[in-house]
């Protein structure tokens, strides 16, 4: 005769460690996923599980806003995988921090203009695929990961070799440059 018995479940409760008033505030914040901005995706991706994870994580990390932004980003990415694009960030809700002389855009080119290729973004193969990110301000381009004034960029010679401003100052290349 076989006899099986179950051991008691000694795991801690899965309730998030929140005070009652803190939990209400956090639930309101996480319920943003039920708002009209995300409604276009609700029939394909149910927000309830994401809201539950959001509440748990925000309670776990004492209301840390980045936990909210992270779970909203995961929801938006999941929607994107189903073909639904949602523009959701703005300057007050989960703004994406951008370096100086740049700004957030919900759709940036995969080929940003740089000092060595100023026309990259206009010559880049145009696709509907874009991603949110930071874009250099007007009259600035990327150089080594930073947005610099166009006037700080070097130039190219007849053989299309690029020379940075610093190398131009240390070498006498002006006769070769266009």
């Amino acid at each position: 005769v076989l006899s099986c018995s179950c051991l008691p479940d000694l795991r801690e409760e899965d309730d998030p460690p929140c005070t009652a008033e803190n939990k209400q505030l956090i639930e309101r914040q996480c319920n943003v996923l039920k708002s009209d901005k995300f409604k276009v995706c609700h029939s394909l991706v149910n927000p309830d599980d994401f809201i539950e994870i959001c509440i748990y994580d925000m309670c776990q990390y004492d209301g840390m806003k980045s936990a909210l932004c992270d779970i909203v980003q995961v929801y938006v990415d999941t929607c994107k995988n189903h073909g639904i694009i949602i523009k959701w960030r703005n300057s007050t809700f989960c703004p994406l921090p951008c370096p100086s002389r740049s700004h957030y855009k919900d759709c940036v080119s995969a080929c940003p203009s740089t000092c060595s290729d100023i026309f990259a973004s206009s010559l880049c193969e145009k696709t509907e695929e874009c991603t949110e990110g930071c874009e250099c301000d007007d009259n600035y381009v990327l150089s080594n990961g930073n947005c610099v004034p166009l006037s700080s960029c070097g130039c190219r010679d007849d053989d299309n070799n690029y020379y940075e401003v610093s190398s131009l100052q240390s070498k006498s290349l002006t006769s070769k440059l266009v």
Side-chain angles (χ1 to χ4, degrees):
V1 175
L2 267 179
S3 173
C4 293
S5 63
C6 293
L7 295 174
D9 185 356
L10 300 175
R11 292 177 295 177
E12 290 183 31
E13 288 295 314
D14 278 345
D15 287 337
C18 264
T19 62
E21 65 181 51
N22 200 15
K23 188 173 181 184
Q24 281 185 334
L25 174 64
I26 287 171
E27 283 176 349
R28 275 198 307 274
Q29 291 174 329
C30 292
N31 276 324
V32 70
L33 288 174
K34 288 186 177 179
S35 71
D36 287 345
K37 184 174 286 289
F38 303 96
K39 194 175 191 172
V40 65
C41 189
H42 289 170
S43 63
L44 295 170
V45 181
N46 186 334
D48 291 341
D49 290 338
F50 293 86
I51 292 168
E52 191 176 314
I53 293 166
C54 176
I55 292 167
Y56 186 90
D57 287 356
M58 284 191 72
C59 285
Q60 184 71 36
Y61 298 107
D62 200 27
M64 193 165 63
K65 289 280 190 268
S66 62
L68 169 66
C69 296
D70 288 347
I71 198 68
V72 172
Q73 181 67 63
V74 171
Y75 183 79
V76 167
D77 289 345
T78 305
C79 292
K80 187 176 181 181
N81 291 339
H82 286 83
I84 305 292
I85 305 296
I86 300 173
K87 296 178 182 181
W88 63 282
R89 288 187 195 269
N90 61 41
S91 60
T92 57
F93 184 71
C94 298
L96 195 66
C98 290
S100 64
R101 299 181 293 273
S102 69
H103 56 278
Y104 170 79
K105 283 186 76 174
D106 54 22
C107 183
V108 296
S109 171
C111 314
S113 296
T114 65
C115 274
S116 59
D117 193 355
I118 291 173
F119 302 107
S121 60
S122 60
L123 298 175
C124 184
E125 189 174 315
K126 299 290 183 201
T127 65
E128 289 184 27
E129 285 295 313
C130 65
T131 185
E132 66 176 354
C134 298
E135 181 176 84
C136 290
D137 295 340
D138 287 344
N139 298 314
Y140 286 84
V141 293
L142 276 179
S143 179
N144 297 323
N146 297 311
C147 293
V148 299
L150 275 169
S151 59
S152 296
C153 291
C155 55
R156 295 189 173 279
D157 65 17
D158 290 337
D159 297 323
N160 207 27
N161 295 311
Y162 178 75
Y163 297 94
E164 292 185 4
V165 170
S166 59
S167 69
L168 294 175
Q169 293 167 344
S170 63
K171 298 176 186 172
S172 178
L173 298 171
T174 48
S175 63
K176 286 180 141 185
L177 297 178
V178 176

